[in-house]
Amino acid sequence: MNAVPPTAALALGDDALVLSHRLGEWAGRAPVLEEEVALANIALDLLGQARTLLSLTGDEDELAYLRDERAFRNVQLVEQPNGDFAATIARQLCFSTYQHLLYGRLADGDGPFAPLAAKAVKETAYHRDHAEQWTLRLGDGTPESHGRMQRAVDGLWRYTGELFQPVEGLPEIDWPALRDAWTALVTDTLQQATLETPAGPQSAAWAAGAGRQGVHTEPFGRMLAEMQHLHRSHPGATW
Amino acid sequence: MTTAAPETVDTATLEAVFEAAVAADERIEPRDWMPDAYRATLVRQIAQHAHSEIIGMQPEANWITRAPSLRRKAILMAKVQDEAGHGLYLYSAAETLGVGRDELLDKLHSGRQKYSSIFNYPTLTWADVGAIGWLVDGAAITNQVPLCRCSYGPYARAMVRVCKEESFHQRQGYELLLALSRGTEAQHAMAQDAVDRWWWPSLMMFGPPDGESAHSAQSMAWKIKRHSNDELRQRFVDICVPQAESLGLTLPDPGLRWNEERGHHDFGPIDWDEFHQVLRGNGPCNEQRLARRRKAHEDGAWVREAALAHAAKHTTPTEHPEASA
């Protein structure tokens, strides 16, 4: 097996770590008890992926708690605040579809991420199903839920282009093909949910690929401040 | 136990059959006849138990985003998820008695049904997560293990599953405190401070002293309850004292000492005034906990309405014949 490319381990690990954190913020706030269980379940799967990926390239806690904002390599999509339930579901639909396709391809290859991807592809299939079912319920539910779901998709669309910026260290991925597959799946779900696929750009020109280069959106710094505060307050302590 | 209840059978006979089943340690099941007061007591107790699970998510969820290592964060997330699951089992058990989850949630939100007083205390430091696991879950288990033999079948079976997961959480809490206690000076102090704040509220979880417990005698006669509040509290103190020693932490009670004659630890008086204040809604977090729960429910209303509207649009009578009835 090839050595693990650290850039790719950090990119994929940070995506999972940051989205897991955002989903963890839902605990105790979900619209029904079943969703307390489901969102925590997805957050835990993602945290498991993050721990495996970060550990491939260093100490998971040092990487999670002692890097500053500019050193994180996650896409901007996953750091977006939770918003209402529709915004969280829209973020989940866009990201879990991406992750499911990406891990499917990595699992089929013989690169260093294949074993992790083989496990993660099963988890992300469940995540995608969950997001898809809720997109259908909200999009094709009441006029209010339809409106909220449409606004959520519109609001996040600009962050989806970054998903298809090639990640250094993943030579087996055909990024344009991944983008086509993603677009087909997401637009099909939106259509079934009676929603419009947004017409706006998927990335503002200045922002394309920014998260992968450590350029993030404003809410991210505050998220890290909360996440890292306790760990940083006790240098060298073990927990 | 199965009891046919044709209209010709009079209440006295039904009561006799019920009493005999309870006396023989048989399980009462949802379709069995049961006294109205037995049903009402169980609804109250199971609902309060379910509410405690979901309100109890809040003090711990307060630390999910600040957990100091990824391992601890995963453990805490899994625990809070388990609590939502316990809430679900318990609402299902309550529903077998003829009440709906929505109705019970309404009663929680309007303050007509209670949840455990312990969750009205704040989690001020990371060590509180460990103290809750060790002491609060420990007290809950001491209370709940006997409920696995409760006379009402669905509740007893729910408790078997709940207790398995709770003992796991309790061990994790203990292990968290142990890591802090053996860690830096600041970590040790954090652990001691948490135990100092959670010890007495944990002892209050067993309820008022036996002489003042309104429901105890009847619940024990019905075998819903198997031991008195004071018996369980004593058992808990006896378990905790050696555990505190191996943790390297002290319990904040100058009156705590081994009583050779009784074969138990004596312990200092509980501040029952504080207990009653918290129950009356005047604890540190009562308002905050209920407000958060109501807000989650209100904020989620449009989501639940959407799910219902979507199901109505996409369910045809042929798929679900009962829907057209």
Side-chain angles (χ1 to χ4, degrees):
Chain A
M1 196 172 13
N2 313 322
V4 171
T7 45
L10 281 185
L12 305 185
D14 286 350
D15 282 351
L17 178 69
V18 171
L19 186 56
S20 166
H21 185 95
R22 284 296 190 208
L23 292 175
E25 294 173 352
W26 269 103
R29 294 174 158 89
V32 284
L33 270 180
E34 285 81 355
E35 282 306 299
E36 294 285 0
V37 178
L39 295 173
N41 200 326
I42 296 168
L44 270 171
D45 286 345
L46 290 167
L47 185 53
Q49 293 167 12
R51 296 181 66 192
T52 306
L53 284 158
L54 294 181
S55 298
L56 289 173
T57 179
D59 177 87
E60 60 176 31
D61 286 336
E62 272 178 38
L63 288 167
Y65 291 100
L66 299 177
R67 273 183 301 158
D68 288 325
E69 175 176 353
R70 294 280 282 110
F72 272 80
R73 292 290 176 263
N74 55 285
V75 289
Q76 293 180 348
L77 176 69
V78 295
E79 74 203 31
Q80 295 312 305
N82 288 334
D84 67 3
F85 190 68
T88 289
I89 291 300
R91 194 182 60 198
Q92 284 302 113
L93 178 72
C94 294
F95 187 72
S96 64
T97 302
Y98 162 77
Q99 231 192 355
H100 185 57
L101 290 167
L102 181 64
Y103 282 136
R105 282 157 174 72
L106 290 173
D108 290 343
D110 60 355
F113 295 112
L116 164 106
K119 177 167 182 277
V121 78
K122 293 179 195 143
E123 295 167 349
T124 53
Y126 160 73
H127 304 172
R128 191 181 130 65
D129 183 55
H130 174 262
E132 186 179 14
Q133 295 306 317
W134 272 113
T135 302
L136 297 177
R137 286 187 202 112
L138 299 180
D140 191 16
T142 63
E144 181 180 6
S145 70
H146 178 88
R148 283 180 185 253
M149 195 62 213
Q150 186 67 60
R151 284 194 293 281
V153 174
D154 291 347
L156 287 170
W157 199 248
R158 77 189 66 172
Y159 298 107
T160 57
E162 193 184 1
L163 299 171
F164 312 106
Q165 290 285 316
V167 172
E168 194 188 327
L170 300 180
E172 60 267 63
I173 302 298
D174 177 346
W175 296 94
L178 186 81
R179 181 176 202 139
D180 290 344
W182 182 92
T183 305
L185 283 170
V186 170
T187 53
D188 181 57
T189 301
L190 293 178
Q191 196 176 6
Q192 277 188 61
T194 74
L195 296 163
E196 302 284 334
T197 300
Q202 280 176 278
S203 288
W206 54 269
R212 295 275 187 244
Q213 294 153 30
V215 178
H216 294 279
T217 56
E218 286 184 348
F220 185 55
R222 201 162 276 106
M223 191 205 101
L224 282 189
E226 182 172 344
M227 183 174 108
Q228 298 181 335
H229 165 259
L230 179 59
H231 186 96
R232 285 185 186 260
S233 300
H234 296 263
T238 50
W239 300 93
Chain B
M1 162 177 145
T2 33
T3 313
E7 285 167 27
T8 48
V9 179
D10 62 30
T11 309
T13 310
L14 291 168
E15 255 171 26
V17 172
F18 171 84
E19 296 293 347
V22 170
D25 272 334
E26 283 173 30
R27 289 281 164 81
I28 309 299
E29 295 298 338
R31 298 174 74 112
D32 294 337
W33 185 90
M34 62 189 84
D36 289 345
Y38 176 84
R39 186 184 299 273
T41 295
L42 278 168
V43 168
R44 182 177 49 77
Q45 184 173 337
I46 300 173
Q48 178 168 324
H49 196 159
H51 299 333
S52 301
E53 295 285 354
I54 59 169
I55 295 283
M57 294 167 71
Q58 288 183 35
E60 295 179 286
N62 186 36
W63 282 92
I64 286 180
T65 54
R66 293 176 288 170
S69 74
L70 297 185
R71 172 171 169 267
R72 293 291 178 198
K73 187 172 182 164
I75 290 172
L76 185 56
M77 272 186 185
K79 181 181 180 187
V80 174
Q81 182 190 18
D82 283 348
E83 282 159 3
H86 295 172
L88 284 169
Y89 305 154
L90 288 161
Y91 285 120
S92 300
E95 284 179 331
T96 64
L97 293 160
V99 287
R101 198 209 294 183
D102 291 346
E103 182 188 340
L104 298 177
L105 282 173
D106 280 347
K107 286 186 174 162
L108 168 65
H109 297 152
S110 61
R112 282 175 294 156
Q113 282 180 342
K114 302 219 173 290
Y115 55 87
S116 177
S117 61
I118 193 80
F119 300 120
N120 292 312
Y121 290 86
T123 47
L124 302 177
T125 73
W126 170 250
D128 289 30
V129 171
I132 289 182
W134 177 44
L135 295 173
V136 175
D137 293 340
I141 294 162
T142 309
N143 261 329
Q144 291 169 10
V145 164
L147 288 173
C148 298
R149 295 184 294 123
C150 155
S151 59
Y152 188 59
Y155 192 27
R157 288 188 289 274
M159 291 324 301
V160 172
R161 297 184 60 177
V162 169
C163 284
K164 276 184 198 162
E165 293 177 351
E166 292 286 8
S167 11
F168 193 57
H169 299 161
Q170 200 249 354
R171 283 203 297 277
Q172 289 169 333
Y174 180 89
E175 194 255 336
L176 191 164
L177 283 180
L178 190 63
L180 294 180
S181 178
R182 292 179 175 173
T184 64
E185 213 173 300
Q187 285 176 306
H188 183 92
M190 193 192 278
Q192 183 62 59
D193 168 61
V195 169
D196 289 348
R197 282 181 290 109
W198 288 91
W199 172 248
W200 291 108
S202 301
L203 293 191
M204 295 177 196
M205 287 175 70
F206 296 92
D210 291 349
E212 293 165 31
S213 180
H215 306 290
S216 275
Q218 183 60 75
S219 287
M220 284 177 78
W222 278 329
K223 294 188 180 169
I224 295 173
K225 235 178 131 146
R226 297 281 182 157
H227 309 279
S228 81
N229 294 353
D230 287 332
E231 267 172 57
L232 291 170
R233 189 167 12 243
Q234 180 70 61
R235 183 179 298 178
F236 178 68
V237 171
D238 290 340
I239 291 169
C240 286
V241 170
Q243 291 183 345
E245 263 168 47
S246 31
L247 277 172
L249 298 171
T250 59
L251 296 170
D253 179 359
L256 192 63
R257 62 180 57 84
W258 177 250
N259 182 326
E260 192 65 52
E261 216 170 289
R262 293 202 305 125
H264 290 292
H265 292 87
D266 291 336
F267 54 97
I270 289 172
D271 183 350
W272 292 113
D273 182 51
E274 174 180 321
F275 176 74
H276 291 298
Q277 285 292 339
V278 176
L279 275 193
R280 270 199 290 273
N282 302 323
C285 298
N286 297 58
E287 276 184 43
Q288 167 190 334
R289 299 285 186 243
L290 214 48
R292 161 66 64 76
R293 182 86 266 293
R294 282 196 204 110
K295 181 162 167 39
H297 192 71
E298 283 159 17
D299 287 352
W302 69 272
V303 177
R304 297 189 298 276
E305 283 157 19
L308 286 175
H310 183 266
K313 282 185 209 177
H314 295 272
T315 309
T316 62
T318 42
E319 282 174 86
H320 291 282
E322 71 275 17
S324 61

